[in-house]
């Protein structure tokens, strides 16, 4: 049986096994589509049948969406009171030593500055007051569905008249929120998020008549209140997902499913409640994601082949192909899924495929994505046009590709994984998330993990500077920017995805440095961030080479900036808890890797014509 067959075999009725369990109501899409499922297709062993499943729901629920709007507070009306409270509170904590920078009220539009600008520098925010504020903001970003919390809104700026899709719950953005809640012992929101997004996975989705693969998780969703069919006075709430069919550039959220698996594992590890991951519908959800990722294609490499903008960088930035971020998340999700899959007849082939992929992926990335001083020198001296099985320069990389910036930049101690590898192309940019998650997932060896942290330390003024952390380094400029980004005015050099600095990345930096027993690196970065995040109103990203300015089009009160900071603080306080997120090096993979290295040449088999 092939992998695809196995997956189908283990997924009776594919969609059907995704039964909304317990009290999760079945809903219709606001655009009138219904999920491909009927009561007939439910497997007999599904827990859903024992629960309170209704097809479709015809229940008028009191509209909870308004909560989001109610909570859009902070500046106007009563919000001034909230700002003042925060300042008073901070002031008390500091014995009166609190200053708000001119034009930078705590979560305000500056209207309260008068009351607080009297104090002179140095400005000092007691960390705990920043944390308190962050917790308050995080709670206010919570989104409710049928009365239960299901996620956090991407940005919650009351002064933003045009929030675009930042008023949605993004899967990737919720991960630090979820982790913050887990570490606080508040499990309900994470459980709900996991189960509700799982329901969205089997949505019938199309873009211009084309349906992406089943198993795709949405990029984001929104809770909408719509009139109930046939009842003028009643409304119902629906979850309206976006799989990329409405997103700018119509990008596919490849990372969503991978993050979902990672969060599911963290939920089980942190709460001790394994019943969620053991549910039939959740097991099926995991398998559907795996099936989609492990599907055969034309590719020669074990890395996942994706289009541009399929992850945190969700618009054109020249990362199509095999971007590191996706590979690190893929590796982490494979390991995490393997840990959670319950052994059952029929899943042996899937596990085998997964194991094979883990070995191949780890070999490929460790071997071919790695650069340090020595490796660069090797590439610099590469011969090209080598046609043979034992070519050294397997991907036919022309040494001229080594950009002048890199020759100067590569430190004598330290190294990193490049951003992407394709035939005749190495993208030498340093991408933070991919490198950090390679440490967290043990995709990087211990030596490589330390070397990545060494590089971050030695390139502190480039990567951290005045606000952690650069999303990538360096920025694309001039002609390169024009061609690669398509002259994207949001991604100008040192802005947004093009070398902008993203505070949310603090949490991944913290997990990685704690895993390598070097928490002081994260602590130092948190200290830098703490000086500005609150006074700057928790921006989404910062601009300029040294991250001096709040980003040109950066949202304020960006939830994952808030949550990223909180997770970093919580983990620095209780470093052991970081274990819920990292994957240990797997002995079997190591073994297989060393055998792989010894194996070299292709064994030619005789062919017979019968
Ligand atoms: C931007 C980011 C993306 C994030 C979204 C919501 O599009 O690039 O990574 O998920 O905003 O915050």
């Amino acid at each position: 049986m092939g992998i695809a067959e196995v997956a189908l075999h283990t997924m009776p009725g594919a969609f059907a096994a995704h039964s909304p369990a317990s009290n999760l109501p079945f809903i219709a899409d606001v655009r009138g589509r219904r999920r491909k499922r009927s009561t007939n297709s439910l497997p007999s062993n599904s827990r859903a049948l024992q629960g309170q499943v209704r097809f479709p729901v015809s229940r008028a629920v009191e509209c909870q969406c308004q909560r989001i709007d109610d909570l859009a507070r902070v500046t106007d009306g009563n919000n001034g009171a909230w700002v003042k409270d925060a300042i008073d509170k901070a002031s008390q904590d500091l014995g009166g030593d609190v200053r708000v920078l001119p034009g930078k009220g705590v979560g305000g539009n500056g209207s309260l500055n008068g009351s607080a600008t009297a104090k002179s520098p140095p400005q000092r925010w007691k960390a705990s007051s920043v944390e308190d504020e962050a917790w308050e903001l995080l709670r206010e970003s919570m989104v409710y569905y049928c009365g239960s919390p299901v996620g956090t809104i991407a940005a919650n700026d009351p002064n933003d008249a045009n929030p675009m899709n930042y008023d949605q719950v993004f899967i990737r953005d919720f991960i630090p929120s979820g982790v913050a809640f887990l570490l606080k012992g508040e499990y309900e929101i994470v459980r709900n998020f996991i189960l509700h997004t799982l329901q969205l996975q089997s949505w019938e989705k199309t873009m211009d008549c084309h349906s992406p693969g089943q198993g795709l998780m949405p990029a984001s969703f929104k809770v909408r209140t719509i009139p109930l069919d046939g009842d003028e006075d009643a409304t119902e709430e629906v979850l309206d997902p976006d799989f990329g069919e409405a997103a700018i550039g119509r990008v596919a959220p490849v990372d969503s499913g991978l993050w979902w698996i990672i969060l599911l594992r963290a939920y089980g590890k942190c709460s001790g409640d394994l019943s969620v991951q053991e549910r039939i519908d959740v097991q099926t959800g995991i398998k559907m994601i795996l099936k989609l990722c492990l599907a055969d294609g034309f590719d020669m490499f074990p890395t996942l082949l994706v289009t541009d903008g399929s992850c945190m960088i969700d618009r054109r930035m020249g990362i199509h192909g095999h971007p590191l971020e996706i590979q690190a998340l893929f590796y982490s999700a494979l390991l995490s899924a393997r840990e959670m899959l319950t052994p059952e007849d029929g899943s042996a082939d899937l596990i085998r495929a997964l194991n094979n992929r883990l070995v191949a992926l780890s070999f490929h990335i460790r071997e071919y994505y790695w650069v340090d001083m020595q490796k660069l020198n090797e590439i610099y001296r590469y011969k090209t046009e080598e046609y043979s099985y034992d070519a050294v320069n397997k991907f036919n990389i022309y040494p001229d590709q080594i950009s002048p910036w890199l020759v100067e930049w590569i430190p004598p101690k330290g190294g990193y994984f490049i951003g992407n590898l394709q035939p005749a192309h190495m993208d030498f940019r340093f991408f933070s998330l991919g490198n950090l998650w390679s440490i967290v997932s043990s995709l990087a060896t211990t030596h490589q993990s330390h070397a990545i942290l060494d590089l971050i330390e030695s390139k502190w003024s480039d990567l951290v500077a005045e606000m952690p952390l650069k999303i990538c380094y360096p920025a694309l400029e001039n002609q390169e920017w024009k061609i690669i980004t398509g002259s994207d005015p949001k991604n100008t050099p040192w802005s947004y995805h093009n070398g902008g600095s993203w505070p949310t990345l603090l949490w991944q930096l913290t997990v990685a440095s704690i895993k390598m027993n070097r928490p002081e690196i994260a602590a130092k970065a948190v200290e830098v961030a703490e000086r500005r995040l609150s006074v700057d109103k928790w921006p989404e990203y910062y601009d300029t080479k040294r991250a001096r300015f709040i980003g040109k089009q950066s949202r304020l009160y960006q939830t994952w900036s808030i949550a990223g900071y909180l997770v970093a603080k919580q983990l620095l306080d209780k470093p052991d808890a970081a274990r819920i997120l990292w994957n240990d090096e797997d002995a079997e993979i190591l073994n297989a890797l060393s055998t792989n290295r010894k194996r070299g040449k292709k064994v030619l088999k005789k062919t017979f014509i019968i």
Side-chain angles (χ1 to χ4, degrees), residues 288-413:
M288 282 176 76
I289 297 170
L290 293 181
K291 188 189 149 218
L292 192 59
C293 294
L294 296 173
D296 291 337
F298 289 106
D299 215 15
M300 291 294 290
F301 307 151
T303 33
L304 264 188
L305 177 62
V306 298
T307 54
D308 219 340
S310 54
C311 53
M312 177 185 182
I313 296 179
D314 56 0
R315 54 207 282 154
R316 198 170 144 184
M317 264 294 292
I319 59 163
H320 55 278
H322 306 92
L324 179 66
E325 176 179 331
I326 288 289
Q327 315 314 324
L329 292 176
F330 181 33
Y331 190 76
S332 182
L334 287 178
L335 282 174
S336 306
R338 191 176 63 174
E339 229 177 275
M340 293 186 291
L341 280 173
T342 49
E344 56 161 354
D345 296 344
S347 58
D349 279 9
L350 185 66
I351 304 273
R352 200 170 307 124
L354 186 157
N355 278 328
N356 288 344
R357 193 63 172 258
L358 276 170
V359 174
L361 185 60
S362 136
F363 179 81
H364 187 85
I365 298 281
R366 289 175 177 190
E367 202 73 14
Y368 305 129
Y369 276 58
W370 185 252
V371 289
D372 54 15
M373 185 78 166
Q374 187 192 336
K375 183 68 188 287
L376 263 188
N377 207 154
E378 268 171 42
I379 300 172
Y380 182 74
R381 291 166 52 81
Y382 264 168
K383 288 193 191 70
T384 56
E385 321 296 337
E386 292 177 288
Y387 177 84
S388 67
Y389 294 115
D390 40 19
V392 176
N393 182 4
K394 286 199 176 67
F395 307 102
N396 202 31
I397 306 297
Y398 298 102
D400 264 5
Q401 255 179 54
I402 302 176
S403 319
W405 71 265
L406 186 57
V407 177
E408 300 301 321
W409 198 69
I410 194 81
K413 185 175 169 216

Side-chain angles (χ1 to χ4, degrees), residues 50 91 99 268 359:
Q50 301 151 22
S91 190
R99 189 180 72 97
V359 174

Side-chain angles (χ1 to χ4, degrees), residues 432-451:
S432 296
L433 179 48
N435 273 285
L436 293 174
W437 213 260
S438 299
I439 299 177
V440 173
S441 61
S442 290
L443 177 56
T445 63
T446 308
H447 169 78
Q448 288 171 333
S449 299
H450 278 298

Side-chain angles (χ1 to χ4, degrees), residues 206-211:
T206 51
M207 192 205 138
D208 298 340
C209 307
H210 174 71
S211 305

